[in-house]
Amino acid sequence: MHFVYILYSNFSDKNYVGETSNLEIRLDNHKSGFYSNSFTTIAKDWELFFKIECKNVSQARKIEKHIKSMKSRKYLLNLGSSPEISERLLNTYNS
């Protein structure tokens, strides 16, 4: 099982989109600065804003790529408030 997730930092007012097989560990790593050369080192207050459970790594990476390609904060906010968008993504990238 894999997840696509969106983190939000109030301190930096930024979002981060990623994918992982272990969401709890990945979130802890982002908060602790484990990824020293990562974008997420700009803040320590990352909170999980959105997650979508995918059936495999391939589907998760395709959905992550789609979300990042949108380059839109409004789209990210809509993902968090409209479950039908998640369903469409899962159906579109059902491989």
Side-chain angles (χ1 to χ4, degrees):
M1 179 175 329
H2 251 70
F3 296 90
V4 174
Y5 62 94
I6 300 172
L7 304 179
Y8 176 74
S9 165
N10 192 49
F11 172 79
S12 64
D13 193 29
K14 300 281 185 190
N15 293 93
Y16 176 82
V17 180
E19 64 86 17
T20 186
S21 61
N22 190 321
L23 193 55
E24 289 179 31
I25 290 174
R26 185 62 59 97
L27 181 57
D28 288 342
N29 287 345
H30 283 301
K31 287 182 172 184
S32 71
F34 178 79
Y35 305 110
S36 60
N37 293 325
S38 169
F39 173 79
T40 57
T41 59
I42 65 171
K44 302 283 186 221
D45 66 335
W46 295 103
E47 294 296 328
L48 185 63
F49 171 74
F50 171 81
K51 70 178 178 180
I52 183 171
E53 187 176 320
C54 301
K55 66 181 183 178
N56 57 43
V57 66
S58 175
Q59 183 183 42
R61 288 183 178 159
K62 289 174 184 175
I63 292 173
E64 176 192 22
K65 184 177 179 180
H66 169 83
I67 292 171
K68 287 180 174 180
S69 74
M70 297 304 288
K71 298 182 181 183
S72 167
R73 180 174 280 208
K74 186 174 181 177
Y75 183 75
L76 298 180
L77 293 173
N78 286 337
L79 272 173
S81 62
S82 301
E84 60 272 6
I85 298 173
S86 298
E87 289 301 317
R88 273 187 298 202
L89 287 171
L90 289 169
N91 290 330
T92 300
Y93 299 103
N94 188 17
S95 59

